[in-house]
Amino acid sequence: MRSDNRRATTTDGGPTGTFTFTQRARRAQIVQAAIETLAESGHTRTTFSRISRQARLCSTGMISYHFAGKPELITEVAHTIMSQAETMLEPRLREVDTYRGKLGVFIGSTFEFASAYPTHTLALAEIVAMARDRGSTGLERVEQDILCVERLAALLEHGVRAGEFGAVDCRTMAFALRGAIDGVLCQYLRNEAVDLDRSAQELKRAFGLCAQAV
């Protein structure tokens, strides 16, 4: 039985989580096509048919073989993009000793990723919109992972305990920062004249002042 004609499963019918080289290559091809389709067509028009055409597949059945449904594919898309962003972010976070510095690194790295990978960033924005607009089952956790609010709140809480930040409401501050980041990215992705480096510096300064220890 050829590996690219049936979905890999365990003996009880569930996905194995392990794939052959051919399967991994095909999944990556489908994920990349989904990223491009989301960015170009928007989430409301992203269908298996459009993704199949973008990937130059002979039928949508090849997508269905590798992914049980749209939520599974979209989740894989989100995790693929976030993994790329994490590869850029993590080494920089480790180089900084202060939580104030780590907050600045997070902001700067987010904008730098958007500059380097605008298509991927737009695809993530569409996934968040998909989860919110349709209440898509299975995408709630993906939306939370993309927005990183819990991660930002934890970073701020560590900073408060270390005495680097004042007694702020960390979750509220995390939501405010996420909203500010997304506001800048929204303008940037609409091809408006946005200087991401300057925006990063302004947000670092503004939120540093808001959260400063007193």
Side-chain angles (χ1 to χ4, degrees):
M1 186 177 298
R2 293 178 59 183
S3 63
D4 58 353
N5 285 336
R6 287 192 55 159
R7 183 176 174 79
T9 59
T10 60
T11 54
D12 63 359
T16 61
T18 59
F19 305 97
T20 66
F21 176 83
T22 300
Q23 288 171 331
R24 287 196 299 271
R26 181 66 74 190
R27 286 172 66 90
Q29 178 188 7
I30 293 169
V31 166
Q32 180 60 34
I35 291 171
E36 294 166 0
T37 303
L38 280 164
E40 293 173 8
S41 302
H43 68 276
T44 59
R45 300 177 65 194
T46 294
T47 62
F48 275 14
S49 294
R50 286 181 179 273
I51 295 170
S52 179
R53 288 197 297 272
Q54 185 73 22
R56 298 182 180 180
L57 302 176
C58 61
S59 73
T60 58
M62 297 188 74
I63 301 177
S64 298
Y65 162 70
H66 288 281
F67 298 95
K70 192 173 181 180
E72 183 180 321
L73 172 56
I74 295 303
T75 298
E76 183 72 10
V77 168
H79 288 166
T80 297
I81 298 173
M82 288 187 291
S83 178
Q84 288 180 275
E86 193 70 15
T87 299
M88 179 182 290
L89 173 63
E90 269 303 318
R92 299 176 183 186
L93 286 176
R94 289 196 296 268
E95 293 175 356
V96 180
D97 294 329
T98 67
Y99 292 105
R100 185 178 293 274
K102 290 180 186 296
L103 185 64
V105 166
F106 182 91
I107 296 169
S109 185
T110 300
F111 287 163
E112 187 172 340
F113 183 83
S115 178
Y117 301 98
T119 298
H120 292 62
T121 303
L122 184 51
L124 283 183
E126 289 295 329
I127 292 172
V128 170
M130 181 187 300
R132 290 176 175 175
D133 292 351
R134 296 185 175 183
S136 301
T137 303
L139 294 182
E140 297 84 0
R141 183 63 200 177
V142 172
E143 178 190 358
Q144 294 173 21
D145 290 342
I146 292 172
L147 296 178
C148 299
V149 171
E150 298 301 332
R151 182 176 189 176
L152 283 170
L155 191 158
L156 289 166
E157 287 169 1
H158 286 305
V160 169
R161 287 198 291 269
E164 295 182 27
F165 300 134
V168 298
D169 185 319
C170 296
R171 188 169 175 80
T172 298
M173 188 67 72
F175 274 116
L177 178 55
R178 185 72 243 185
I181 290 172
D182 288 345
V184 173
L185 290 179
C186 183
Q187 288 183 307
Y188 176 73
L189 294 172
R190 289 175 178 169
N191 297 315
E192 297 184 23
V194 176
D195 185 331
L196 289 181
D197 289 336
R198 180 176 180 181
S199 295
Q201 293 303 319
E202 288 297 320
L203 287 185
K204 291 177 190 178
R205 184 181 65 81
F207 278 87
L209 290 172
C210 289
Q212 67 183 358
V214 293

